[in-house]
Amino acid sequence: MHPSPLPVLVVGSGPTGLTLAIDLARRGVGVRIIDKSPEFPRTSRAKGPNPRSLEVLEDLGVVDAVLAAGAAPLPMRKYRGGVAVADAEPFADQRPTPDAPYDRPRMMAQWRLEEVLRARLAEYGVRVELGAELVGLAEGEASVTATLADGGLIEASYAAGCDGGHSAVRKLLGVPFEGKTDETQLMVCGDVEVEGLDRGFWHQWFDEDGAVMLCPIPGTRSGWWFQAGPERDASGAPMPPSLAGFRRLFAKHTGLPSDRLTEATLLSTYRVNERMAARYRVGRVLLAGDAAHVHSIAGGLGMNTGIQDAYNLGWKLGRVAAGLAGPALLDTYEEERLPVAAQVLDISAERLRATLEAIKKPGGGLDSAVGPGTNGLGGGYHWSSLAASPRATPRLRAGDRAPDAPCLDAATGDPRRLFDAFAGPHFTLLGFGTGTGGALRGAAAVHGDELRAYGVDADGPSGRLSDHEGHARAAYGVGPDDELLVLVRPDNHIGLIAEADDVKAVTAYLSGDEI
Ligand SMILES: Cc1cc2nc3c(=O)[nH]c(=O)nc-3n(C[C@H](O)[C@H](O)[C@H](O)COP(=O)(O)OP(=O)(O)OC[C@H]3O[C@@H](n4cnc5c(N)ncnc54)[C@H](O)[C@@H]3O)c2cc1C
C-alpha cells in the first residue's frame, strides 16, 4: 500500500461534497472539488443540520459558526380558513443530555451552511473550482480520469460523485437509481420576500383545497421559505411556479393582501422521489448524498443524510488514498451507508404519511414530520464487518454512535468532553479503569499518530479524563468497578469493545486488511 500522488476528486460542492472535501483535507490528503455551477448558489433549500449533523460539524471545527449563523427551530402556527387554530413546538420537551449535546436541529439556509463549509475548506488551501462540469469518467489501473465539459481532464486517485439527484457520475457508472416517483404529491417551493408577518413563527395555512407554509429564513430581514400545494389549471394539471402564482396562493390561503409577497426566487416544483442507488462504489468511484438517495423532505433528512454519508466515507477514503489501508475499506462505506439510506427512505415516507394524515384535521401541521429517527442519533452499523467485537456493554455495542460525556481533564481540572477527545481525524482508544493503562500505552506505541489513547480515571498517553460525575461510565454502560477498552472510529462510531488488557484486539482491529 502506497500513498497516491494524485488528488481525490470530489464532484459537486453541495453540503455532501464540501463535508467530504474538508474531511479529506484535514487528513492531509490532496483534494480537488469541482462544481458545474458558474457561481455559488444563494438558494435556501434544506432547512438546516439535525443533531447528528451538528456533531459531525463540531468534529469538522465549524459548529460554532453554524450555531451563530442559524437559529433555533421556531414554534409552528397553524391556521384553518385563515384563522390561527393551534401552535406547536415539536422540540419543546427536548433538552441536551450529557451524552447528546444537540437536542434539536439548527435552522439555516443551505447556501449559508455551504458558505461556512467553504470557509473551513479554504483554511486547508482548497477552493471549489466553479464552472467545471464533469461529463466523462474513465478508470485506469491506478487512477480515474474525469473529463470536463470544456475538454479539460483531471486525473485522480479516486472520485466521489456528490453531484446531486441528477448525478452525472451515477449515470456514467450505469448504476441504477431504483425506486419510484410519486406524481400525485406535488409541492411548489421557493425563497420569497414577505412583509408584515410575525417572524417568530413558522406559519402553516391548511384548507380543503391546498396549503401554504412560510418559515422565516434566519439571517435575512424579510426572506421566507415558501412551500405550497401547486395551482392547477382547468384540466387539473399543476401550473409551474411563478411570482404571480405564489402571490395568488398566498392571498387565497392566508387571507392577507397578495402584495405583501414581493419577490420569489428558486421557483421549484417538488415531486416525492423515493430512490436509491443500487451500488455506492464502482472501482475507484463512489457515490454520496443525493447522488445516492433521494426521498421526501418530511423529516428533513435529505441534506443531513448526505453530510453523514460524507463523514462515513471521509476517513475511509482518506486512509486508502494515504496508503494506510487497502481498498477493501471502501467497501464498508456501501456496506454501512446503503442500508441507512433504505432506513431513511422508510422514515421519511412514514413522516410524510403521518403529516398528510395530520393536516386533514384542524390543528395538524408539519410538527408531524418530526419523529423517531429524524434527529439522526439513533442508528448504528451493527451489521458491518467493522463491528465484529469481542465485547459489548449493557448500553453499547460495536457499530453504535459513540456518545459524548462531560469529564474533567485530570491534570488541569478543566472541563473536557469525550467529543473533545474524539475531535480530529484519529481513532480514539478509551480505557475505563486503572487496569487499562498498560493496554493504552501499548496501543499508542504501536499506532502512533493515528490513535489517541485516553484513560477514563486511568493514565493514558494522551491524557487522563476524570469521570467525576459518572457520565462517561453511564453513557458507555461501564459499571463503577468494570474495566474496559473502547475503540472509537474517526467518524465517532464504536469500532471495538475489549477487555481491559486486550491490546492485541485493538492492534488486530487497527492492522486488519480492511482498516
Ligand atoms: C427547492 C428545494 C427545496 C429543498 N428543501 C429541502 C428541505 O426543506 N429539507 C431537506 O432536507 N432537503 C431539502 N432539499 C433537498 C436538499 O437540498 C438536498 O438533499 C441537498 O442539497 C443534498 O446535498 P448534496 O450535496 O448531496 O447535493 P446538491 O446540494 O444537489 O449538490 C450537488 C452539486 O453538484 C453539482 N453538480 C451537479 N452535476 C455536476 C457535474 N456533472 N459536474 C460538476 N458538478 C455537478 C451541482 O451544481 C451542485 O452544486 C430541497 C431541495 C430543493 C431543490
Side-chain angles (χ1 to χ4, degrees):
M1 290 182 287
H2 302 288
S4 171
L6 298 170
V8 172
L9 175 64
V10 177
V11 184
S13 69
T16 306
L18 289 166
T19 301
L20 180 60
I22 295 170
D23 205 2
L24 291 167
R26 71 176 178 155
R27 290 164 200 282
V29 172
V31 57
R32 286 182 69 177
I33 175 166
I34 60 170
D35 203 292
K36 71 176 180 184
S37 175
E39 57 196 19
F40 295 123
R42 290 283 292 193
T43 48
S44 298
R45 294 168 290 156
K47 293 192 178 63
N50 69 10
R52 179 57 179 161
S53 292
L54 288 168
E55 294 182 355
V56 173
L57 296 167
E58 177 177 339
D59 186 9
L60 298 181
V62 294
V63 80
D64 290 341
V66 167
L67 294 176
L74 292 170
M76 298 176 179
R77 174 152 291 175
K78 296 170 280 187
Y79 304 79
R80 287 271 155 173
V83 177
V85 292
D87 288 348
E89 284 198 62
F91 304 103
D93 296 336
Q94 269 150 255
R95 298 284 176 274
T97 53
D99 61 342
Y102 305 104
D103 65 333
R104 59 195 67 196
R106 196 74 179 162
M107 301 208 76
M108 66 194 294
Q110 188 172 321
W111 69 264
R112 186 70 185 97
L113 176 64
E114 291 170 358
E115 196 172 61
V116 169
L117 292 172
R118 282 197 303 272
R120 182 69 172 147
L121 188 58
E123 290 173 23
Y124 297 104
V126 181
R127 291 184 193 279
V128 176
E129 299 171 45
L130 288 172
E133 179 177 1
L134 177 136
V135 294
L137 269 176
E139 184 166 343
E141 197 146 299
S143 67
V144 57
T145 302
T147 306
L148 305 186
D150 66 3
L153 299 176
I154 298 177
E155 194 183 4
S157 57
Y158 288 88
C162 307
D163 50 346
H166 300 288
S167 172
V169 172
R170 188 188 66 235
K171 290 173 189 161
L172 287 164
L173 294 175
V175 172
F177 206 33
E178 291 163 351
K180 58 179 196 254
T181 301
D182 183 348
E183 294 288 345
T184 63
Q185 296 297 338
L186 293 185
M187 205 165 68
V188 288
C189 30
D191 293 351
V192 299
E193 297 284 322
V194 178
E195 298 288 350
L197 208 54
D198 186 343
R199 289 180 70 81
F201 292 92
W202 181 344
H203 302 272
Q204 304 169 10
W205 291 267
F206 299 103
D207 293 304
E208 296 306 313
D209 57 348
V212 162
M213 290 151 274
L214 278 164
C215 181
I217 302 173
T220 67
R221 194 188 64 79
S222 55
W224 298 75
W225 276 285
F226 178 95
Q227 294 168 302
E231 292 185 298
R232 295 188 181 266
D233 65 17
S235 70
M239 288 163 59
S242 64
L243 171 60
F246 281 11
R247 293 174 97 173
R248 282 192 296 271
L249 285 164
F250 175 78
K252 176 178 170 189
H253 293 291
T254 68
L256 297 168
S258 63
D259 60 5
R260 294 259 192 102
L261 194 156
T262 53
E263 270 183 55
T265 51
L266 176 74
L267 301 165
S268 171
T269 298
Y270 169 81
R271 290 168 176 74
V272 176
N273 277 294
E274 287 175 1
R275 293 180 184 276
M276 50 190 278
R279 298 173 65 187
Y280 277 20
R281 177 183 175 209
V282 178
R284 292 181 171 271
V285 186
L286 300 117
L287 295 170
D290 273 18
H293 41 73
V294 290
H295 48 81
S296 129
I297 58 175
L301 291 167
M303 177 186 79
N304 286 298
T305 307
I307 288 172
Q308 292 157 35
D309 283 345
Y311 194 48
N312 182 288
L313 179 58
W315 68 274
K316 296 172 180 176
L317 195 47
R319 288 180 71 74
V320 174
L324 295 169
L329 179 57
L330 296 177
D331 288 330
T332 69
Y333 165 62
E334 173 179 308
E335 185 190 9
E336 294 185 343
R337 292 302 296 177
L338 197 138
V340 168
Q343 290 168 5
V344 166
L345 260 61
D346 286 346
I347 292 168
S348 62
E350 173 53 23
R351 287 300 99 212
L352 179 65
R353 191 205 58 72
T355 306
L356 293 173
E357 195 55 39
I359 63 176
K360 289 181 191 159
K361 299 176 203 121
L366 297 187
D367 42 320
S368 296
V370 178
T374 57
N375 66 10
L377 294 174
Y381 307 125
H382 304 130
W383 57 86
S384 169
S385 52
L386 297 180
S389 178
R391 284 282 313 263
T393 75
R395 283 293 301 274
L396 288 181
R397 54 186 166 139
D400 279 329
R401 162 187 164 276
D404 195 11
C407 299
L408 296 177
D409 183 319
T412 63
D414 293 336
R416 190 142 161 82
R417 295 158 55 209
L418 291 186
F419 277 7
D420 298 328
F422 301 160
H426 52 270
F427 287 84
T428 308
L429 185 61
L430 295 177
F432 286 89
T434 49
T436 60
L440 291 172
R441 284 189 296 280
V446 174
H447 298 289
D449 286 347
E450 61 183 313
L451 181 76
R452 292 202 188 149
Y454 289 90
V456 180
D457 299 324
D459 287 324
S462 303
R464 180 186 178 108
L465 300 170
S466 165
D467 189 20
H468 64 304
E469 289 176 328
H471 291 305
R473 283 180 178 268
Y476 282 73
V478 184
D481 301 321
D482 292 345
E483 302 200 316
L484 269 184
L485 294 171
V486 179
L487 181 65
V488 179
R489 304 177 355 175
D491 61 351
N492 299 359
H493 278 259
I494 309 285
L496 182 84
I497 301 174
E499 299 299 339
D501 57 355
D502 197 356
V503 68
K504 271 197 191 143
V506 176
T507 295
Y509 188 92
L510 290 173
S511 313
D513 281 350
E514 272 197 341
I515 289 276

Tab-separated table of all heavy atoms in Angstrom, residues 45-72:
chain	number	residue	atom	x	y	z
A	45	ARG	N	-33.177	26.133	0.086
A	45	ARG	CA	-33.410	24.670	0.063
A	45	ARG	C	-33.519	24.035	1.464
A	45	ARG	O	-34.377	24.403	2.220
A	45	ARG	CB	-32.338	24.006	-0.817
A	45	ARG	CG	-32.471	24.421	-2.275
A	45	ARG	CD	-31.270	24.007	-3.093
A	45	ARG	NE	-30.101	24.805	-2.719
A	45	ARG	CZ	-28.838	24.429	-2.884
A	45	ARG	NH1	-28.569	23.274	-3.418
A	45	ARG	NH2	-27.854	25.227	-2.528
A	46	ALA	N	-32.616	23.100	1.830
A	46	ALA	CA	-32.769	22.386	3.104
A	46	ALA	C	-32.719	23.366	4.279
A	46	ALA	O	-32.042	24.388	4.220
A	46	ALA	CB	-31.683	21.328	3.247
A	47	LYS	N	-33.421	22.979	5.367
A	47	LYS	CA	-33.627	23.946	6.457
A	47	LYS	C	-32.616	23.859	7.583
A	47	LYS	O	-32.745	24.561	8.570
A	47	LYS	CB	-35.042	23.811	7.002
A	47	LYS	CG	-36.071	24.240	5.971
A	47	LYS	CD	-37.459	24.403	6.535
A	47	LYS	CE	-38.398	24.874	5.457
A	47	LYS	NZ	-38.567	23.936	4.344
A	48	GLY	N	-31.600	23.008	7.439
A	48	GLY	CA	-30.535	23.062	8.439
A	48	GLY	C	-30.131	21.713	8.983
A	48	GLY	O	-30.815	20.709	8.792
A	49	PRO	N	-28.977	21.691	9.686
A	49	PRO	CA	-28.431	20.446	10.208
A	49	PRO	C	-29.220	19.908	11.391
A	49	PRO	O	-29.632	20.663	12.270
A	49	PRO	CB	-27.006	20.825	10.638
A	49	PRO	CG	-26.988	22.299	10.760
A	49	PRO	CD	-28.090	22.854	9.914
A	50	ASN	N	-29.410	18.582	11.403
A	50	ASN	CA	-30.066	17.941	12.553
A	50	ASN	C	-29.010	17.633	13.631
A	50	ASN	O	-27.814	17.888	13.427
A	50	ASN	CB	-30.875	16.724	12.105
A	50	ASN	CG	-30.030	15.544	11.616
A	50	ASN	OD1	-28.810	15.533	11.760
A	50	ASN	ND2	-30.669	14.553	11.033
A	51	PRO	N	-29.422	17.112	14.808
A	51	PRO	CA	-28.447	16.919	15.889
A	51	PRO	C	-27.223	16.088	15.494
A	51	PRO	O	-26.098	16.428	15.857
A	51	PRO	CB	-29.286	16.243	16.979
A	51	PRO	CG	-30.638	16.886	16.818
A	51	PRO	CD	-30.819	16.960	15.316
A	52	ARG	N	-27.398	15.021	14.747
A	52	ARG	CA	-26.220	14.219	14.380
A	52	ARG	C	-25.301	15.012	13.444
A	52	ARG	O	-24.087	14.966	13.581
A	52	ARG	CB	-26.641	12.901	13.732
A	52	ARG	CG	-25.471	12.020	13.298
A	52	ARG	CD	-24.529	11.684	14.464
A	52	ARG	NE	-23.414	10.822	14.064
A	52	ARG	CZ	-22.289	10.686	14.749
A	52	ARG	NH1	-22.107	11.366	15.880
A	52	ARG	NH2	-21.339	9.887	14.337
A	53	SER	N	-25.890	15.754	12.501
A	53	SER	CA	-25.034	16.561	11.621
A	53	SER	C	-24.302	17.623	12.431
A	53	SER	O	-23.146	17.954	12.128
A	53	SER	CB	-25.858	17.227	10.518
A	53	SER	OG	-26.350	16.262	9.629
A	54	LEU	N	-24.931	18.168	13.466
A	54	LEU	CA	-24.236	19.150	14.305
A	54	LEU	C	-23.018	18.515	14.978
A	54	LEU	O	-21.965	19.146	15.117
A	54	LEU	CB	-25.189	19.752	15.343
A	54	LEU	CG	-26.239	20.717	14.759
A	54	LEU	CD1	-27.318	21.043	15.791
A	54	LEU	CD2	-25.586	22.018	14.268
A	55	GLU	N	-23.147	17.235	15.374
A	55	GLU	CA	-21.989	16.546	15.954
A	55	GLU	C	-20.872	16.415	14.910
A	55	GLU	O	-19.689	16.583	15.215
A	55	GLU	CB	-22.401	15.171	16.478
A	55	GLU	CG	-23.364	15.254	17.663
A	55	GLU	CD	-23.755	13.904	18.249
A	55	GLU	OE1	-23.357	12.853	17.691
A	55	GLU	OE2	-24.474	13.886	19.261
A	56	VAL	N	-21.259	16.094	13.677
A	56	VAL	CA	-20.273	15.983	12.592
A	56	VAL	C	-19.601	17.347	12.381
A	56	VAL	O	-18.372	17.456	12.275
A	56	VAL	CB	-20.955	15.513	11.293
A	56	VAL	CG1	-19.977	15.556	10.119
A	56	VAL	CG2	-21.546	14.111	11.459
A	57	LEU	N	-20.420	18.382	12.356
A	57	LEU	CA	-19.894	19.729	12.095
A	57	LEU	C	-18.996	20.187	13.242
A	57	LEU	O	-18.027	20.924	13.033
A	57	LEU	CB	-21.052	20.698	11.861
A	57	LEU	CG	-21.886	20.367	10.601
A	57	LEU	CD1	-23.191	21.152	10.589
A	57	LEU	CD2	-21.105	20.620	9.319
A	58	GLU	N	-19.298	19.719	14.456
A	58	GLU	CA	-18.406	20.025	15.579
A	58	GLU	C	-17.040	19.385	15.343
A	58	GLU	O	-15.996	20.028	15.495
A	58	GLU	CB	-19.002	19.523	16.911
A	58	GLU	CG	-18.053	19.773	18.066
A	58	GLU	CD	-18.585	19.367	19.432
A	58	GLU	OE1	-19.808	19.250	19.606
A	58	GLU	OE2	-17.741	19.182	20.339
A	59	ASP	N	-17.034	18.131	14.946
A	59	ASP	CA	-15.761	17.446	14.697
A	59	ASP	C	-14.982	18.156	13.582
A	59	ASP	O	-13.748	18.221	13.622
A	59	ASP	CB	-16.035	15.983	14.328
A	59	ASP	CG	-14.767	15.161	14.203
A	59	ASP	OD1	-13.692	15.663	14.564
A	59	ASP	OD2	-14.835	14.020	13.721
A	60	LEU	N	-15.698	18.696	12.600
A	60	LEU	CA	-15.015	19.373	11.490
A	60	LEU	C	-14.611	20.806	11.857
A	60	LEU	O	-14.036	21.522	11.036
A	60	LEU	CB	-15.914	19.393	10.248
A	60	LEU	CG	-16.288	18.017	9.677
A	60	LEU	CD1	-17.158	18.179	8.441
A	60	LEU	CD2	-15.063	17.187	9.351
A	61	GLY	N	-14.956	21.243	13.062
A	61	GLY	CA	-14.492	22.548	13.538
A	61	GLY	C	-15.345	23.720	13.108
A	61	GLY	O	-14.867	24.860	13.124
A	62	VAL	N	-16.595	23.469	12.711
A	62	VAL	CA	-17.423	24.590	12.229
A	62	VAL	C	-18.706	24.786	13.033
A	62	VAL	O	-19.526	25.632	12.670
A	62	VAL	CB	-17.805	24.424	10.730
A	62	VAL	CG1	-16.571	24.527	9.856
A	62	VAL	CG2	-18.547	23.129	10.476
A	63	VAL	N	-18.863	24.023	14.119
A	63	VAL	CA	-20.184	24.092	14.755
A	63	VAL	C	-20.472	25.472	15.342
A	63	VAL	O	-21.620	25.933	15.324
A	63	VAL	CB	-20.389	22.964	15.784
A	63	VAL	CG1	-19.729	23.270	17.125
A	63	VAL	CG2	-21.868	22.679	15.988
A	64	ASP	N	-19.452	26.166	15.846
A	64	ASP	CA	-19.716	27.496	16.416
A	64	ASP	C	-20.208	28.445	15.332
A	64	ASP	O	-21.147	29.225	15.546
A	64	ASP	CB	-18.455	28.064	17.088
A	64	ASP	CG	-18.118	27.302	18.363
A	64	ASP	OD1	-19.025	26.626	18.896
A	64	ASP	OD2	-16.956	27.364	18.808
A	65	ALA	N	-19.582	28.375	14.155
A	65	ALA	CA	-20.029	29.227	13.041
A	65	ALA	C	-21.447	28.863	12.612
A	65	ALA	O	-22.260	29.739	12.284
A	65	ALA	CB	-19.063	29.095	11.862
A	66	VAL	N	-21.757	27.568	12.633
A	66	VAL	CA	-23.097	27.119	12.224
A	66	VAL	C	-24.138	27.580	13.248
A	66	VAL	O	-25.200	28.099	12.893
A	66	VAL	CB	-23.114	25.578	12.066
A	66	VAL	CG1	-24.528	25.047	11.963
A	66	VAL	CG2	-22.302	25.177	10.838
A	67	LEU	N	-23.812	27.423	14.526
A	67	LEU	CA	-24.779	27.842	15.560
A	67	LEU	C	-24.996	29.354	15.484
A	67	LEU	O	-26.121	29.840	15.655
A	67	LEU	CB	-24.297	27.430	16.951
A	67	LEU	CG	-24.230	25.916	17.194
A	67	LEU	CD1	-23.656	25.619	18.577
A	67	LEU	CD2	-25.591	25.240	17.040
A	68	ALA	N	-23.917	30.091	15.196
A	68	ALA	CA	-24.045	31.551	15.125
A	68	ALA	C	-24.865	31.976	13.904
A	68	ALA	O	-25.636	32.940	13.965
A	68	ALA	CB	-22.654	32.194	15.077
A	69	ALA	N	-24.715	31.264	12.802
A	69	ALA	CA	-25.417	31.653	11.568
A	69	ALA	C	-26.871	31.198	11.569
A	69	ALA	O	-27.702	31.769	10.857
A	69	ALA	CB	-24.702	31.060	10.352
A	70	GLY	N	-27.184	30.179	12.356
A	70	GLY	CA	-28.531	29.613	12.325
A	70	GLY	C	-29.393	30.131	13.458
A	70	GLY	O	-29.036	31.058	14.177
A	71	ALA	N	-30.544	29.513	13.594
A	71	ALA	CA	-31.490	29.904	14.647
A	71	ALA	C	-32.163	28.645	15.181
A	71	ALA	O	-32.220	27.619	14.493
A	71	ALA	CB	-32.549	30.848	14.074
A	72	ALA	N	-32.676	28.742	16.407
A	72	ALA	CA	-33.412	27.611	16.980
A	72	ALA	C	-34.701	27.406	16.191
A	72	ALA	O	-35.258	28.366	15.642
A	72	ALA	CB	-33.735	27.906	18.440
